[in-house]
Amino acid sequence: DNIPSLMYVSRTARRPFRIAKGPDVLAFEVAEAGNANADEETGEATATAMLLDVSVTASDDELLNSDFKTGRQGVEAVRLSVDVHPDDEGGAMMEMEPVGGTNNNSGRRSFELQVSTDGMAPGRHTMYSVAVDGAGYEGPVSAVFFDVPVRAAVETDQPTTSAPQTAEPTTAAPVSGAPTAAPVSESPTTAAPVSGAPTAAPITDSPTTAAPISESPTTA
């Protein structure tokens, strides 16, 4: 099976005579470690970022088939970058911490680091690692994929502000067809005389004169 050999050639193609002198990454793992800002008491997430546990094992002499002098320096350091290849400009390199109990004289050496996904967009990302030996030679670059899930937005206690309500009353539109009341006048109205009613005769204070009675006897 020549696949591993072809993969190694492709990783050293840019500077084959120099990269071959550096240490090789034998194991490269990335695992989710939890939330970057979890509450210390409850463990619940308080931010959208999460932590990644990154572990790397490298060796400067394990893949040698001869007593080549550049394969005996041991592994001095391992560096990481995210989404930017170590050979490209603009990438921020992160230095990994060596695991206790291992040394950089010869053989395998393990490193670890916790990386926060703060500022990374949801989706798939690429993490690169490169090991450096005691003589300063960098080995082939290794890479793994990891996914940043979509996290729910953090809820805040700040209430939302509603639109202000005005106290000014609204004027109702007039209703057409409504009967209007006639204005009430304060002046008394005079009743019209009723025709056909009998009128009383005026009473005078002067006595009426009766016809005089004659005392003269009448002649038979």
Side-chain angles (χ1 to χ4, degrees), residues 11-90:
R11 291 161 56 197
T12 59
R14 185 170 184 176
R15 297 188 300 270
F17 296 105
R18 181 178 179 83
I19 295 176
K21 296 179 181 180
D24 300 287
V25 173
L26 305 178
F28 186 11
E29 296 180 357
V30 178
E32 183 176 350
N35 191 268
N37 291 28
D39 187 90
E40 295 182 357
E41 296 182 358
T42 64
E44 295 181 354
T46 59
T48 56
M50 67 177 183
L51 291 175
L52 301 174
D53 278 337
V54 184
S55 60
V56 171
T57 300
S59 175
D60 195 42
D61 60 357
E62 190 161 330
L63 299 183
L64 290 177
N65 290 326
S66 61
D67 191 13
F68 192 60
K69 64 179 181 178
T70 59
R72 303 299 179 188
Q73 286 84 18
V75 181
E76 185 70 22
V78 174
R79 301 187 181 102
L80 301 175
S81 64
V82 177
D83 292 334
V84 179
H85 195 279
D87 291 338
D88 297 334
E89 296 180 357

Side-chain angles (χ1 to χ4, degrees), residues 60-208:
D60 195 42
D61 60 357
E62 190 161 330
L63 299 183
L64 290 177
N65 290 326
S66 61
D67 191 13
F68 192 60
K69 64 179 181 178
T70 59
R72 303 299 179 188
Q73 286 84 18
V75 181
E76 185 70 22
V78 174
R79 301 187 181 102
L80 301 175
S81 64
V82 177
D83 292 334
V84 179
H85 195 279
D87 291 338
D88 297 334
E89 296 180 357
M93 301 299 294
M94 297 173 285
E95 197 86 14
M96 299 190 71
E97 299 291 336
V99 177
T102 60
N103 57 67
N104 63 338
N105 294 328
S106 62
R108 295 188 175 193
R109 193 179 189 192
S110 298
F111 296 80
E112 63 183 11
L113 186 67
Q114 274 198 340
V115 178
S116 173
T117 62
D118 187 23
M120 300 183 190
R124 172 152 289 192
H125 296 265
T126 306
M127 184 175 292
Y128 301 94
S129 67
V130 57
V132 184
D133 65 15
Y137 289 107
E138 294 183 353
V141 176
S142 298
V144 294
F145 293 116
F146 67 94
D147 295 317
V148 176
V150 178
R151 301 284 183 175
V154 180
E155 296 182 358
T156 62
D157 294 330
Q158 184 177 0
T160 57
T161 305
S162 59
Q165 297 181 353
T166 60
E168 184 179 356
T170 58
T171 304
V175 180
S176 61
T180 57
V184 179
S185 173
E186 295 181 355
S187 301
T189 57
T190 304
V194 180
S195 61
T199 59
I203 302 174
T204 63
D205 296 330
S206 300
T208 57

